Amino acid sequence: MRILVTGGAGFIASNFIRHMLSAYPGYHIVNIDSLTYAGNLENLREIESSDRYSFVKGDICNSDLLRGIAFDAIIHFAAESHVDRSILDAQPFLQTNIMGTYTLLEEARQRGCVFLHVSTDEVYGSTEEGFFHEDSPLRPNSPYAASKASSDLLVRAFGETHGVKAMITRCSNNYGPFQFPEKLIPLVILNGLSDKPVPVYGDGMNVRDWIHVVDHCRAVDAVFHRGRAGEVYNIGARNERTNIDLVKMILKEVAEVRGVDEGRLLDLITFVHDRKGHDRRYAIDPARLEGDTGWNPRVDFREGIKNTIEWYRANEAWWQRILSGEYREYYRTQYGERLRA
Ligand code: NAD
Ligand code: TYD
């Protein structure tokens, strides 16, 4: 089986490719990624020489390019993914998240292949109480969430109208190795390691429901193999935290591993202006996923955070190359020569 994974140089899909190659010796993964600022081929160093992996540099909006690639199924991660960027400029979000998904759906329709669409709990908007269920109304508040909700609706429509065998997953906030340091958890870790201010938006009482990226990858695998076509699956680990509690917990762990005074790192916390339209709370009910596929999260949150801190400490070269911009050269050095040959 040849699976087209989109956005494989990003945070979650690079973890997913590693997971699939080690779990399924018979699979070949084709990674298509246009290498935006968030795409980093260094995330895939461990597996890039595998003969069961190939990379295509390209845009998911390019239907001619897609037509020339051989595959039997699509697992679609590629997206513009950062809410703050979507507030500054929504255009690339609409282009990639909506038009890109549409282009891939047309390809799936023509080939009659399975399409797994990786979406987000943010399409449901914010909830003060209770949990998001798969049939909760879609009430996206940020341009990012609106673009993902739009793509979800297109996936549904292509299933209903054209019979595309499509499934949608909606996961809560991820953390773990290889996350780009603009997102909250890696930002707090890196700033805590280098004594820089840690910005907390608003009053810090916004709630997010956190899951380790490896548990998310296992859930996408479970839906791909055991999910029902036409279905939506929420993915979450029942792990809600206020931002301020989370930030304090991470800074205390960082202080411990650095052997520095906890109070000194907690003093880095700086309350800043709130994000526009900042969703107050996300909370996922993953019961359908658990019932249909037998999936359960495995990573304990405190252990997961400790391991993630250790990972960033052990991989300083990886994030220093992101901070300096050097990571963008990796494609040319690894693939530029080979392509010219
Ligand atoms: P990311 O920003 O780390 O990676 C996105 C990848 O997509 C990058 O490698 C980028 O180069 C690629 N890409 C962007 N536009 C492209 C285009 N037009 N053509 C080809 N490739 C393109 O994102 P992530 O955090 O790994 O998220 C992956 C998916 O999971 C997204 O669909 C996101 O909505 C969803 N998701 C993320 C989270 C989270 O907490 N990060 C939670 C739930 C769902
Ligand atoms: P983020 O990691 O951007 O994920 P999302 O917006 O998709 O949930 O942010 C997680 C939470 O942390 C969100 O409530 C915004 C908040 N936040 C901060 O308080 N400070 C920061 O510097 C960032 C990046 C986020």
Side-chain angles (χ1 to χ4, degrees), residues 89-338:
D89 179 10
Q91 201 281 336
F93 288 75
L94 309 190
Q95 180 64 19
T96 286
N97 300 1
I98 304 176
M99 287 310 292
T101 303
Y102 160 69
T103 310
L104 289 162
L105 281 165
E106 283 290 6
E107 206 49 45
R109 169 192 172 192
Q110 268 145 40
R111 296 180 196 224
C113 79
V114 169
F115 186 91
L116 195 161
H117 177 61
V118 177
S119 191
T120 166
D121 61 355
E122 302 192 24
V123 298
Y124 298 119
S126 186
T127 180
E128 292 286 326
E129 55 190 35
F131 299 91
F132 297 132
H133 300 277
E134 287 80 357
D135 51 7
S136 299
L138 301 189
R139 290 191 177 122
N141 294 317
S142 70
Y144 161 67
S147 69
K148 292 294 289 189
S150 307
S151 62
D152 287 17
L153 294 179
L154 281 171
V155 174
R156 178 189 156 84
F158 271 66
E160 295 294 320
T161 303
H162 297 303
V164 172
K165 292 186 277 302
M167 292 171 284
I168 297 174
T169 59
R170 296 189 179 133
C171 191
S172 60
N173 284 65
N174 283 224
Y175 71 97
F178 298 102
Q179 188 164 29
F180 199 84
E182 66 185 352
K183 302 274 167 70
L184 181 67
I185 288 185
L187 186 78
V188 177
I189 296 173
L190 296 197
N191 290 11
L193 288 173
S194 39
D195 296 302
K196 289 192 188 140
V198 173
V200 173
Y201 299 165
D203 62 4
M205 294 306 287
N206 301 68
V207 172
R208 294 293 181 268
D209 187 353
W210 294 95
I211 185 171
H212 194 276
V213 64
V214 164
D215 279 331
H216 182 191
C217 293
R218 289 178 43 252
V220 172
D221 168 359
V223 169
F224 182 66
H225 289 102
R226 299 191 291 283
R228 285 176 280 146
E231 204 59 275
V232 177
Y233 291 96
N234 282 349
I235 304 173
R238 297 189 176 86
N239 182 40
E240 292 177 52
R241 313 270 154 165
T242 61
N243 290 340
I244 189 67
D245 282 353
L246 172 67
V247 167
K248 286 182 178 166
M249 173 190 163
I250 296 171
L251 289 175
K252 286 179 189 169
E253 294 290 348
V254 172
E256 195 177 318
V257 294
R258 285 182 63 192
V260 300
D261 178 46
E262 184 175 293
R264 194 179 111 194
L265 290 204
L266 291 176
D267 283 345
L268 296 174
I269 294 174
T270 310
F271 287 94
V272 298
H273 280 301
D274 208 356
R275 174 186 277 173
K276 285 186 190 173
H278 195 175
D279 284 336
R280 197 64 174 166
R281 173 174 173 264
Y282 303 142
I284 271 279
D285 177 3
R288 177 183 288 170
L289 171 70
E290 291 167 336
D292 274 17
T293 72
W295 173 90
N296 277 298
R298 286 185 188 155
V299 182
D300 168 75
F301 188 57
R302 189 165 288 277
E303 282 309 306
I305 288 290
K306 281 187 179 179
N307 294 341
T308 303
I309 293 170
E310 273 319 313
W311 188 87
Y312 280 89
R313 267 162 61 86
N315 290 278
E316 182 167 347
W318 177 87
W319 53 264
Q320 288 291 6
R321 284 169 62 77
I322 290 179
L323 299 185
S324 72
E326 285 167 89
Y327 74 108
R328 308 207 71 165
E329 289 296 300
Y330 191 72
Y331 169 72
R332 197 177 51 76
T333 55
Q334 289 302 107
Y335 289 85
E337 300 306 323
R338 248 183 272 170

Side-chain angles (χ1 to χ4, degrees), residues 10-12 33-34 36 39 59-60 77 81 96 119 144 148 174:
F11 162 49
I12 301 172
D33 197 301
S34 63
T36 68
D59 194 320
I60 53 165
F77 291 88
S81 70
T96 286
S119 191
Y144 161 67
K148 292 294 289 189
N174 283 224

